[in-house]
Each structure stands twice: as structure tokens, then as C-alpha cells.
Amino acid sequence: MKRIFLMICLVGLAACSTEEVSYQSALETKAKFFLNQESTSRAEMVKEIREARGHVDAAFQRLNDNDVANALIAAHNAGAKVRVVGDFDFQTDSGFVLLLAADVPVVFGDGELRYLPDPTISPILDNCGYSTRGDKVICPASGENVFRPLSNGEMVRPSDYNVMSHTFVRIGERVVWNFASPLDGSTTVPLAFRIDGESMSESFEREFNQLYTNVFSISVDAYNGPNKSGVQFEPMYLTEFGEVYLRFSPQDRVTKTVIDEVYKARASVFIMTDTLSEDFLLDALEYKKNNGFEVRLVVNQAAQDPDALARLTALGVKFAPASLDYVPTVVVLDTEPTRRGDIELQRAHVASHPLWKTAPFAIYFDEPNDEVEVYKSDSFADGVMWSLTAYPNQVNPPLNGIKKLFNDTWNSSTESN
């Protein structure tokens, strides 16, 4: 009985100790969020990389930030084990060029994909028509940036439709830096976090190790499912600021999760993203708005999918300022009172890629020739969505900061009509 009581005390910590234990020190995972224009996140990360002497794992969709590249080179030259993963289409970015010239190992992935589709749809693809739908080319005989069947039914998916969207750096066994926007020099909304925690670091390590061994989103099984490990579906970590969840795509569909979250919202839904193209997400947003919920949307007009523009305009979408080259994907839920005056638990989701389609292609049955349309989708995007949920009755500075970032962007954006 004494042993059982001792174990309970060790697990409970503050509940059994006669000493005062701070909330933060009782938690294994500690978080720091960078949410303002004067953010020092990049400079702090560069300093930590330069000082690393163990190992550094870095995944970048884009790397035109030479300070970050030179910091990785400095750590490499000082004896640290430095490994880097990048997107196939951006291997000529200046930072990647510097790393390769310094003999830092870099693996590029998510290039062109050739695969055999589900046998039940192969006959459709073999007889695909040559036509266009919107601004997309459907089943042409040849050309760039298209999705086309070969004579044997094999599909060719262009490399720029497959995206390694991560921007994170893992330093040692505990520290992870994650940025919401690519490091390509674009003007964007500043949003990053630094996590100090062994368990969360391990989640990023598992993700990185798969990418580094060439298991990307384009690695599919015989029936076209992602071949990446699904052992870490929605891991959750307790921090001093609330519950932090990680969802790695394509194993855990980011856009599908957002659709579910929109339907679950009880008060308000605020979304900003570079482009929003998923019809089912638009269905969810229309449902909420038509039933009296507060819905606010901000997109990058220059990057917006024209097929979705009319529906977005009807929802009252705003276009982000032209000064923003890239709009990170941020979803803020239930920060306003419900219709009964209650305040729901605040939560926010930040994704490494836009809210693309959930499926990679669609088949349109149109005799005599059926059509296939390709999508840039999170089915073929390596990335992560991190989510923060407030504890009950908690004043949550990071969530309030994320909401402020959204509102500042919303207030500086222009009406769509």
C-alpha cells in the first residue's frame, strides 16, 4: 500500500508535495510562441543552430535564407551531425546551393510521381477525354504541369503538384522550431513556435527520419494510400499554455481535420490561408454562416483558386494586402461569444500548407470520354498542422496573440467586391 501511495505521489507531483510546484515546472513540454512583427524567432533559431554540437535535423520547403543555411554549415563544420530535407522543385534555392557546396547532406523529395491507380478506375483513365475544366488541363496527351494517363493506365503526377511543405528545425533531443511560412524571403504574417520537450521532439524526429530515407507523400502503396508511418496520429502534449496537438500529413489529412473543426465550432470560425480550394470546406463554411455563426475568411488573391472564388466572395472573403507575398494557414475557432453568450474553449490550428483539396483528383463521367482533373491536395503534401486548445477558464496569451494576428490581417485586408 505504501508503494502504491508513493507512486501516486510521484505521478501527481504538486498534488502530493508539501512544496509549492510551479505549473510550468510540473510539465515536460514547454512552449514559446512568436506572434508579432518584432519577432526575434529567426535570430534566436539561427543562434541555437550555430551553437549546436550534437545533431540538427532541418526540413525546409524553401530555403532562400542564407543566414539559416550558413548557421547549419557552421554547426556542420563544428562537428554537429546536420541533415536537411527539401522540396524537389526548390533545390536551386540559394540556401540549398550553399549547403550542398559545403557537403551538408540534403535529401530532396516529392518530385514527379508515376503510379498505377486503383484497378477499378484504370479503364476510365485509359479512355480519358482531352478537354479543359476551368483553368486546368484534363488528360492532355502531353504538356507541363498536367496529370495524364499513359497507354498502360499508369498515371503521371507532376512534381509541382506534390509538396514537401515543412519548415522546422530539430536541435538535439528536445528543441524544435516550427515556422508557419516558408523561408523564401517572402513578406508574410510572423508566426512560429519553439518547443522544448522530448516527446514532441521525438514526433518530429519520426517525421524527419521518414523523409530523410525517401519516404515522402509520393510513396504510395498498391492502392494509392500514403506509405508513411501512421504510428503518431494526433499526438497530444500538455504545456503551460494548453494542449498542443500535432497532425502530420498526408497520414492525417489537414484539410479534412479543418472541415470537421468548422462543423464542431459553436460560435465563430476565422480562417486565413494562401488559397482555399476544397468544396467540402466551403460547404461547411456556408452552413455555419447561413445558421448565424461568425465566419471570417482571408485569402491571397494572387494565389487563389479561381474555381472557388465565387463561393468565397459570397461568404464575404477578404483579400490579404498585396504586401503579403504568402498568407500562412491559420484557423481560429470559438473566440467570440455563442448566441447564448457563452464563451467556448478557444482553439487554433496552424498548418504548413494551404487548405488544398482533400483528394488528389476527381473523375467526371461524361460520355463518350470521361474526364480526370488533377488537384494540388494534402493527399500529396508532406506537412504538419499544430493545434493549441486552451485549458478551461484560462486566459491564454498565445491564443489571444494568434487571434490578434488574424484580426490585424483581417482589418488590413480588402473587400472582395
Side-chain angles (χ1 to χ4, degrees):
M1 180 65 71
K2 288 182 179 179
R3 289 182 179 177
I4 294 174
F5 179 76
L6 177 60
M7 290 177 66
I8 293 173
C9 286
L10 288 173
V11 173
L13 288 176
C16 297
S17 174
T18 58
E19 298 179 6
E20 182 177 351
V21 179
S22 70
Y23 195 31
Q24 179 170 333
S25 65
L27 294 169
E28 189 270 339
T29 301
K30 301 174 180 62
K32 184 176 182 181
F33 297 85
F34 298 84
L35 308 169
N36 57 69
Q37 295 292 344
E38 291 74 35
S39 171
T40 61
S41 55
R42 177 181 161 281
E44 289 189 26
M45 181 185 73
V46 167
K47 182 176 183 295
E48 285 197 32
I49 293 173
R50 282 188 173 276
E51 295 173 351
R53 294 298 179 266
H55 60 261
V56 180
D57 295 335
F60 303 121
Q61 179 187 6
R62 303 295 306 271
L63 188 57
N64 279 317
D65 190 321
N66 291 350
D67 289 341
V68 173
N70 285 325
L72 291 165
I73 293 169
H76 170 75
N77 291 339
K81 182 180 180 181
V82 177
R83 303 183 299 170
V84 178
V85 167
D87 187 281
F88 176 86
D89 288 324
F90 302 113
Q91 54 191 294
T92 59
D93 281 4
S94 62
F96 290 134
V97 172
L98 287 172
L99 292 174
L100 292 170
D103 293 326
V104 175
V106 184
V107 172
F108 295 103
D110 283 324
E112 182 183 79
L113 170 63
R114 293 174 176 243
Y115 70 103
L116 289 171
D118 188 308
T120 60
I121 67 171
S122 293
I124 295 174
L125 300 178
D126 281 339
N127 296 305
C128 189
Y130 303 127
S131 60
T132 60
R133 184 180 299 274
D135 67 331
K136 299 179 178 64
V137 181
I138 304 172
C139 300
S142 63
E144 296 298 323
N145 301 328
V146 295
F147 190 69
R148 60 190 185 275
L150 302 182
S151 59
N152 63 353
E154 180 186 15
M155 302 305 298
V156 179
R157 186 177 171 87
S159 62
D160 60 347
Y161 277 31
N162 312 313
V163 181
M164 204 295 295
S165 70
H166 282 299
T167 304
F168 74 79
V169 177
R170 178 176 176 267
I171 304 172
E173 300 296 334
R174 296 183 59 88
V175 173
V176 176
W177 288 86
N178 188 87
F179 289 77
S181 302
L183 297 179
D184 64 348
S186 295
T187 304
T188 185
V189 177
L191 183 54
F193 74 65
R194 178 188 185 275
I195 290 289
D196 182 343
E198 186 174 348
S199 295
M200 186 175 289
S201 176
E202 287 177 354
S203 286
F204 279 94
E205 180 185 26
R206 287 192 290 269
E207 173 72 2
F208 182 88
N209 284 340
Q210 292 185 78
L211 300 174
Y212 195 73
T213 53
N214 277 296
V215 181
F216 286 85
S217 66
I218 61 171
S219 303
V220 295
D221 62 22
Y223 294 97
N224 308 322
N227 210 26
K228 294 181 67 176
S229 170
V231 299
Q232 52 184 19
F233 279 111
E234 298 185 22
M236 186 271 285
Y237 307 92
L238 300 177
T239 75
E240 65 270 30
F241 292 120
E243 298 172 354
V244 176
Y245 292 81
L246 297 177
R247 296 172 174 88
F248 291 97
S249 64
Q251 310 96 298
D252 205 355
R253 299 286 192 270
V254 166
T255 306
K256 173 62 167 60
T257 301
V258 172
I259 294 170
D260 293 342
E261 286 289 287
V262 169
Y263 276 119
K264 288 193 296 185
R266 297 186 179 184
S268 59
V269 179
F270 300 164
I271 296 178
M272 65 178 174
T273 187
D274 213 52
T275 180
L276 193 163
S277 58
E278 175 52 72
D279 290 331
F280 291 118
L281 178 53
L282 290 169
D283 290 343
L285 292 167
E286 288 171 352
Y287 172 80
K288 304 305 278 196
K289 189 175 181 66
N290 293 339
N291 284 277
F293 292 80
E294 177 72 14
V295 174
R296 298 182 186 179
L297 304 173
V298 177
V299 299
N300 182 353
Q301 184 175 15
Q304 187 49 52
D305 185 335
D307 293 342
L309 202 51
R311 297 184 69 183
L312 285 167
T313 301
L315 285 165
V317 72
K318 285 188 174 184
F319 296 131
S323 59
L324 293 180
D325 301 310
Y326 180 81
V327 180
T329 298
V330 179
V331 181
V332 186
L333 298 146
D334 292 332
T335 64
E336 303 299 305
T338 68
R339 288 168 290 181
R340 298 179 300 177
D342 302 326
I343 298 293
E344 294 294 322
L345 283 180
Q346 286 182 300
R347 59 196 189 279
H349 309 283
V350 179
S352 60
H353 59 69
L355 294 174
W356 291 319
K357 300 279 189 177
T358 54
F361 63 87
I363 300 172
Y364 298 92
F365 300 98
D366 185 16
E367 295 185 358
N369 293 315
D370 298 317
E371 299 175 351
V372 177
E373 181 178 359
V374 66
Y375 299 132
K376 183 170 284 189
S377 71
D378 64 2
S379 298
F380 285 102
D382 288 294
V384 65
M385 182 168 77
W386 60 269
S387 308
L388 176 62
T389 300
Y391 295 125
N393 303 315
Q394 181 197 34
V395 176
N396 194 298
L399 280 170
N400 290 337
I402 293 172
K403 179 185 176 183
K404 183 179 184 303
L405 277 182
F406 176 89
N407 282 333
D408 288 347
T409 307
W410 170 265
N411 292 331
S412 61
S413 299
T414 57
E415 301 286 345
S416 60
N417 53 2

